[in-house]
């Protein structure tokens, strides 16, 4: 007899919710977490960064107070200890609530320790072996540390250790000009640090369309973030209390000296110390656990959810994974990963909200498409708020009239994108959204107007 009906490893975004559903269905479960309940999102990802972004925004707006006719006496100062304390308070509330919920959940036994497979249906935690016919992996990912000469000889920060900072780095050098690096870059610039971003690709956020990348580089540059693209880091060394980063760009080598170094070049799955070989669970070349459209691994009775399966890298994709697994197991509802539409946001200010295909992807697909764009300078809500950076772009399939994708880089772009995303899920022609009466004055009210201005994609 197995010890439990199910074992869940990892208290990220899908594991705890799944525990609630399984227990509700009468299953006896073991829940294993090795460190912080809530995982990356709650402790070192979305929640703390967006809380810090809010502090940075307050500082930025205070500096711009005169633009709005508001007088603030003296210079704007940022109290980094108070900023961190505010962030810690928000994080602790979320983590403690989740931990308490799991530990008091009837039918759920929590084990605090690192779990490893010892057999396909058995894991060991703190020297104790637990067995179950169903095992769910929600083990997440961590920062990738590249093999750069000298990096192991200098102190460097990741998204996790950044959470302990309660002082202002004089000069923060960030390796990586993508989503994580850019949020930290703008945030610390607004706190008052000098910030340099080093990116190997020819542009920032290189997966986005060129116009989006350039607009982001423009507003970060205007705020004083030093952006170095097409720059390969070839070495790092300590120089007194500083860190020197050697960079090659266009065949020339130069040096950037900062007081602190943040490594934000990507993520890798936490699958290297999970004993997957003992269970025969297959991974791809980068260590992501291979799953099918219902998130089943190659070993019957083992599922992988969240960042560790390589099918998404967001809190909402991990949460959607939970919904898919629960629907298939408990509701006889055959939900699939392939049902979902790509969607995410970048929380710079202004934020970027994205849904579906980029313009580059549409072009590559060879589809006959229509496009409409509008600068935020022509959105009255943005003008009224004095926040007119960015633009919105929507792409439509000319034949089916369905929306293919959108990028909303501008005020409330992370919210506005949802009116487009929901119409994409509804699989209705764009004309349904074009005829909707939206509220004035909002950014979203311009979406129907934009859809009335579609032009062939040249
Ligand atoms: C700086 C940053 C900002 C981000 N911002 C956003 C954002 O704004 N929006 C968004 O959607 N996404 C964001 N993300 C991504 C998001 O945080 C993750 O996609 C999300 O947390 C999903 O993670 P998960 O459920 O796969 O697992 P995680 O949240 O990574 O949790 C995995 C858990 O498993 C535990 N674990 C691992 N191995 C074992 C083991 N062997 N035994 C026991 N326990 C184990 C870990 O301790 C951890 O608690 C951000 C990420 C970072 C780094």
């Amino acid at each position: 007899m197995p010890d439990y009906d199910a074992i869940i490893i990892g208290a990220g975004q899908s594991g705890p919710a799944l525990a609630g559903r399984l227990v509700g269905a009468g299953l006896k479960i073991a829940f294993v977490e090795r460190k912080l309940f809530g995982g990356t999102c709650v402790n070192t990802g979305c929640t703390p960064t967006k809380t810090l972004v809010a502090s940075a925004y307050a500082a930025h707006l205070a500096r711009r107070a005169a633009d709005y006719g508001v007088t603030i006496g003296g210079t704007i100062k940022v109290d980094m200890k108070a900023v961190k304390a505010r962030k810690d308070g928000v994080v602790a509330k979320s983590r403690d609530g989740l931990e308490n919920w799991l530990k008091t959940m009837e039918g759920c036994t929590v084990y605090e320790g690192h779990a490893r497979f010892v057999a396909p249906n058995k894991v060991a935690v703190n020297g104790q072996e637990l067995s179950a016919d169903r095992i769910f992996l929600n083990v997440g990912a961590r920062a990738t540390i590249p093999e750069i000469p000298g990096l192991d000889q200098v102190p460097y920060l990741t998204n996790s250790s950044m959470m302990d900072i309660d002082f202002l780095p004089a000069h923060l050098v960030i390796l990586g000009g993508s989503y994580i690096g850019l949020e930290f870059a703008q945030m610390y610039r607004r706190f008052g640090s000098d910030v340099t971003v080093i990116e190997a690709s020819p542009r920032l956020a290189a997966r986005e369309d060129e116009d989006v990348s350039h607009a982001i580089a423009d507003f970060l540059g205007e705020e004083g973030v030093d952006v170095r693209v097409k720059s390969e880091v070839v070495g790092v060394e300590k120089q007194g209390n500083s860190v020197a980063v050697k960079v090659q760009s266009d065949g020339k080598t130069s040096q950037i000296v900062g007081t602190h170094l943040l490594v934000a070049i990507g993520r890798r799955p936490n699958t290297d110390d999970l004993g997957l070989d003992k269970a025969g669970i297959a991974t791809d070349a980068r260590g992501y656990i291979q799953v099918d459209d219902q998130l089943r691994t190659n070993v019957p009775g083992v599922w992988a959810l969240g960042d560790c399966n390589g099918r998404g890298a967001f809190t909402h994709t991990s949460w959607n994974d939970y919904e898919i697994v629960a629907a298939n197991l408990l509701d006889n509802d055959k939900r699939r990963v392939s049902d979902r539409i790509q969607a995410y946001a970048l929380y710079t200010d202004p934020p970027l909200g994205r849904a579906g295909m980029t313009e580059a992807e549409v072009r590559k697909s060879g589809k006959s498409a229509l496009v409409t764009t509008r600068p935020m300078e022509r959105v009255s809500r943005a003008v009224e708020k004095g926040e007119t950076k960015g633009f919105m772009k929507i792409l439509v399939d000319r034949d089916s009239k369905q929306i293919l994708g959108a990028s909303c880089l501008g005020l409330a772009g992370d919210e506005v994108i949802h009116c487009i995303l929901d119409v994409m899920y509804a699989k209705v022609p764009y004309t349904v959204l074009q005829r909707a009466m939206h509220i004035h004055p909002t950014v979203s009210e311009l979406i129907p107007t934009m859809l009335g201005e579609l032009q062939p994609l040249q």
Side-chain angles (χ1 to χ4, degrees), residues 9-14 32-41 44-46 49-50 113-116 138-141 159 180 183-184 267 270 273-274 305-308 313-316 318 345 347:
I9 304 176
Q13 286 305 302
S14 30
V32 194
E33 170 54 52
R34 67 177 178 191
K35 205 171 172 200
L36 299 173
F37 289 80
T40 309
C41 175
T44 60
C46 335
T49 53
K50 270 79 255 183
H114 186 104
R116 287 179 192 88
N138 178 215
V139 293
N159 67 293
I180 293 173
E183 290 181 13
F184 279 114
R267 311 279 295 164
N270 292 325
D273 189 17
L274 200 51
L305 302 85
D307 289 8
C308 70
F314 300 99
T315 284
H316 45 275
S318 182
Y347 290 89

Side-chain angles (χ1 to χ4, degrees), residues 44-54 87 163 183-184 187:
T44 60
C46 335
T47 306
T49 53
K50 270 79 255 183
T51 309
L52 294 167
V53 161
K87 181 269 291 175
M163 296 302 135
E183 290 181 13
F184 279 114
M187 178 199 306

Side-chain angles (χ1 to χ4, degrees), residues 37 97-106 108-110 112:
F37 289 80
L98 180 70
E99 183 171 350
N100 187 45
W101 181 62
L102 281 172
K103 287 183 172 172
T104 54
M105 190 182 281
E106 217 169 304
C108 172
T109 307
V110 172
E112 289 185 73

Side-chain angles (χ1 to χ4, degrees), residues 124-351:
V125 191
N126 303 332
Q128 186 178 351
E129 290 192 357
L130 313 172
S131 60
D133 289 337
R134 301 182 193 92
I135 299 183
F136 303 92
L137 306 173
N138 178 215
V139 293
R142 63 184 187 274
T144 301
I145 305 303
E147 288 193 12
I148 295 170
L151 188 60
D152 54 349
Q153 308 293 314
V154 300
Y156 61 83
L157 297 153
T158 65
N159 67 293
S160 300
S161 46
M162 283 299 286
M163 296 302 135
D164 301 328
I165 289 199
D166 64 355
F167 58 89
L168 190 68
H171 184 177
L172 180 65
V173 178
I174 302 177
L175 304 191
S178 200
Y179 310 93
I180 293 173
L182 295 180
E183 290 181 13
F184 279 114
Q186 188 181 43
M187 178 199 306
Y188 271 83
R189 181 69 197 130
R190 290 178 169 192
F191 289 153
S193 298
D194 285 339
V195 175
T196 305
V197 176
I198 305 174
E199 168 57 45
S201 313
R203 53 196 172 86
L204 297 178
R207 276 186 291 251
E208 303 304 331
D209 285 331
E210 280 189 33
D211 48 5
V212 171
S213 291
H214 291 140
I216 294 170
D218 284 350
F219 67 68
L220 290 179
E222 280 168 25
E223 289 191 31
V225 176
D226 179 9
V227 174
R228 312 279 183 102
V229 291
K230 273 206 297 188
S231 299
E232 194 82 41
V233 177
V234 291
V236 179
E237 66 179 29
K238 209 163 182 310
Q239 285 186 2
N241 287 332
S242 301
V243 183
V245 181
K246 272 204 194 84
V247 170
Q248 249 171 24
S249 187
D250 288 331
K252 286 185 212 125
T253 306
S254 59
Q255 187 171 267
I256 298 158
V257 182
T259 53
H260 294 79
L261 180 65
L262 166 62
V263 179
I265 60 142
R267 311 279 295 164
R268 58 175 292 196
N270 292 325
T271 54
D272 45 338
D273 189 17
L274 200 51
L276 292 180
D277 53 325
K278 298 282 190 317
I281 295 169
T283 59
D284 68 12
R286 297 194 300 151
Y288 288 99
I289 299 170
Q290 290 183 330
V291 289
D292 66 11
D293 216 14
Q294 291 176 55
L295 302 164
R296 295 175 295 201
T297 69
N298 62 312
V299 173
V302 182
W303 288 254
L305 302 85
D307 289 8
C308 70
N309 65 25
R311 302 291 291 268
F314 300 99
T315 284
H316 45 275
T317 48
S318 182
W319 179 264
N320 190 247
D321 283 359
Y322 140 68
E323 291 182 328
I324 290 166
V325 170
N328 279 283
L329 278 180
L330 304 172
D331 305 332
N332 195 26
D333 179 356
K334 300 195 186 327
R335 291 179 65 172
R336 298 282 186 273
V337 180
S338 51
D339 294 338
R340 69 188 177 210
I341 297 167
Q342 156 115 300
Y344 54 86
L346 161 69
Y347 290 89
T348 47
D349 172 33

